[in-house]
Amino acid sequence: MAERNNNSKPNNKNGEPKDPPNNAEEVPEEESAKKKELEELPPFEVVEGSRIPASSFMFQFKNVEYSSGRNKTLLCYKVERGEDQVFHGYLEDEHVSAHAEEAFFSNVLPQFLSSGAVSVTCYVSSSPCVNCAACIARCLRRNKTLKLRLVVARLFQWEESEIRGALRGITSAGCQLRMMKSADYLYVWQNFVEPDIVLNEEGESEQKSEQGAFIPWEDLDENSRYYEEKLSEILR
């Protein structure tokens, strides 16, 4: 499976930060403040009430065994609170210092946990790493009224003993963990995905694909069953 890379980008090709030259001009205060603000932005993107581009969904959520190039995690969430309060959104990480799961359970979900029971379903492109699993388990233990379902497309480095133990840990904490099936893909497509937009010969935007036309790849069901067997072995 593709590894999650948490290394930030070096400042130059040698990986060493450069000191400013002695005769460097002073950066205007307004520009300096803007630069600082950009540097302090969180290393993940939170998109509320929006949709994932279809091509990104089809690539990142494809349940292949060897996920070469799929080094980004997408998390679609549905939060239900009370009888008529339903919230949708998705997170996408860039693997700098926070993964999408950690960002959701540490920064997004707490705003919905102020009072009463909360039911959360997360559709994630891959299962959590050890640190994200620990974050999920802590959240469940601290919030006894939280009901969580985690539905994942692929198992992340499931051969590793630490990962296997982490997955058992979140289920023992109360998380319902399972693999995505055809019906789950269709649900995410209809509720979280938007058609790709391209320009025609006249330079006008047009849809590349229809919103309702989710076409499963040939081995989707076979791969889903394969991962279900692996997950069942891990959780025994």
Side-chain angles (χ1 to χ4, degrees):
M1 308 295 288
E3 294 185 358
R4 299 188 172 196
N5 180 13
N6 291 320
N7 297 325
S8 58
K9 295 181 180 179
N11 292 321
N12 58 42
K13 292 182 179 179
N14 296 323
E16 299 176 356
K18 289 184 178 179
D19 294 326
N22 294 331
N23 61 348
E25 295 182 2
E26 283 189 83
V27 179
E29 184 177 344
E30 182 178 349
E31 183 178 342
S32 177
K34 185 176 181 180
K35 181 179 179 182
K36 182 179 179 183
E37 181 182 354
L38 289 173
E39 290 175 347
E40 291 177 350
L41 287 175
F44 52 85
E45 183 181 1
V46 180
V47 181
E48 295 285 349
S50 188
R51 292 175 178 262
I52 306 168
S55 56
S56 180
F57 167 77
M58 293 296 286
F59 179 74
Q60 297 293 347
F61 272 86
K62 195 169 185 178
N63 59 353
V64 292
E65 181 178 1
Y66 299 102
S67 52
S68 177
R70 293 172 174 83
N71 56 357
K72 179 182 292 188
T73 302
L74 271 65
L75 181 151
C76 305
Y77 63 84
K78 176 183 178 182
V79 179
E80 299 174 89
R81 187 173 62 180
E83 295 182 358
D84 55 358
Q85 290 184 311
V86 181
F87 307 88
H88 293 85
Y90 86 89
L91 285 78
E92 163 183 334
D93 67 43
E94 295 295 340
H95 296 290
V96 178
S97 64
H99 291 161
E101 302 97 323
E102 182 181 357
F104 175 72
F105 286 95
S106 298
N107 299 81
V108 178
L109 183 58
Q111 65 184 301
F112 300 109
L113 299 175
S114 57
S115 62
V118 175
S119 178
V120 178
T121 302
C122 293
Y123 299 90
V124 196
S125 56
S126 67
S127 59
C129 66
V130 173
N131 290 337
C132 288
C135 180
I136 293 171
R138 286 195 301 270
C139 185
L140 284 166
R141 294 190 178 103
R142 291 172 182 170
N143 301 278
K144 300 300 183 181
T145 59
L146 171 62
K147 180 180 179 181
L148 173 65
R149 287 196 306 162
L150 200 62
V151 190
V152 300
R154 303 184 304 275
L155 292 178
F156 172 70
Q157 294 185 347
W158 59 267
E159 304 95 336
E160 302 292 333
S161 59
E162 286 187 342
I163 293 290
R164 298 165 76 92
L167 295 180
R168 288 192 290 267
I170 62 174
T171 57
S172 64
C175 174
Q176 299 178 21
L177 176 65
R178 67 175 178 82
M179 304 307 304
M180 288 183 69
K181 300 179 180 180
S182 295
D184 300 306
Y185 279 98
L186 180 59
Y187 176 82
V188 174
W189 179 270
Q190 293 174 338
N191 291 277
F192 294 96
V193 177
E194 65 181 358
D196 290 330
I197 302 298
V198 297
L199 297 179
N200 59 23
E201 295 179 355
E202 287 74 28
E204 299 173 342
S205 62
E206 60 181 18
Q207 291 185 2
K208 185 178 179 180
S209 58
E210 294 297 329
Q211 179 63 30
F214 172 64
I215 302 176
W217 44 94
E218 184 179 355
D219 51 359
L220 187 156
D221 292 328
E222 180 182 350
N223 291 348
S224 180
R225 288 191 294 270
Y226 169 83
Y227 275 123
E228 282 181 337
E229 292 176 1
K230 297 303 178 184
L231 181 59
S232 180
E233 293 175 5
I234 293 170
L235 300 182
R236 284 175 186 168

